[in-house]
Amino acid sequence: QVQLEESGGGLVQPGGSLSVSCAVSGSAYRIYEMGWYRQAPGKQRELAASISGGGQLQIEDAVKGRFTISIDVAKRTVYMQMNNLNPEDTAVYYCHADGWLPDNAYLELWGQGTLVTVSS
């Protein structure tokens, strides 16, 4: 069984920083792309940032210049550093992965979500 294990998040004051990380655990899984989606209260889930195994980035305009995403393919782990956070960044952040099992079956994975709260 393959799953995503998230860590990080929490409460931070406006202007502060937080980091989140997410690792693929369990059986063999070949990563195509990993990233973070976020869902603010009363809003739809949306992509914050993603990165492919080859390093191609997709970054939401609202977080450009503030969030940095990176991936360690060997460790099957994605990291996101979030700087200059503001209350609008308050959301549940969900790790996401696209990839393949050893039999080449495509498998999309979602983490359970970690809450990021930006408040004074």
Side-chain angles (χ1 to χ4, degrees), residues 38 46-49 58-66:
R38 62 183 186 174
E46 61 180 10
L47 175 69
Q58 289 191 68
I59 311 290
E60 182 197 11
D61 286 344
V63 308
K64 279 182 179 176
R66 301 187 297 120

Side-chain angles (χ1 to χ4, degrees), residues 7-8 18 23 37 47 55-56 68 80 83 90 108 113 117:
S7 61
L18 280 175
Y37 285 70
L47 175 69
Q56 278 194 305
T68 302
M80 187 163 72
N83 297 327
T90 295
E108 179 183 37
T117 303

Side-chain angles (χ1 to χ4, degrees), residues 20-81:
V20 290
S21 64
C22 171
V24 179
S25 67
S27 305
Y29 181 76
R30 190 166 78 255
I31 295 168
Y32 170 70
E33 184 176 78
M34 294 186 73
W36 291 92
Y37 285 70
R38 62 183 186 174
Q39 186 166 19
K43 295 188 176 181
Q44 289 188 327
R45 192 177 298 187
E46 61 180 10
L47 175 69
S50 68
I51 184 168
S52 72
Q56 278 194 305
L57 299 172
Q58 289 191 68
I59 311 290
E60 182 197 11
D61 286 344
V63 308
K64 279 182 179 176
R66 301 187 297 120
F67 290 14
T68 302
I69 189 168
S70 61
I71 191 169
D72 186 329
V73 176
K75 293 183 178 179
R76 307 197 301 178
T77 301
V78 65
Y79 308 90
M80 187 163 72
Q81 175 67 36

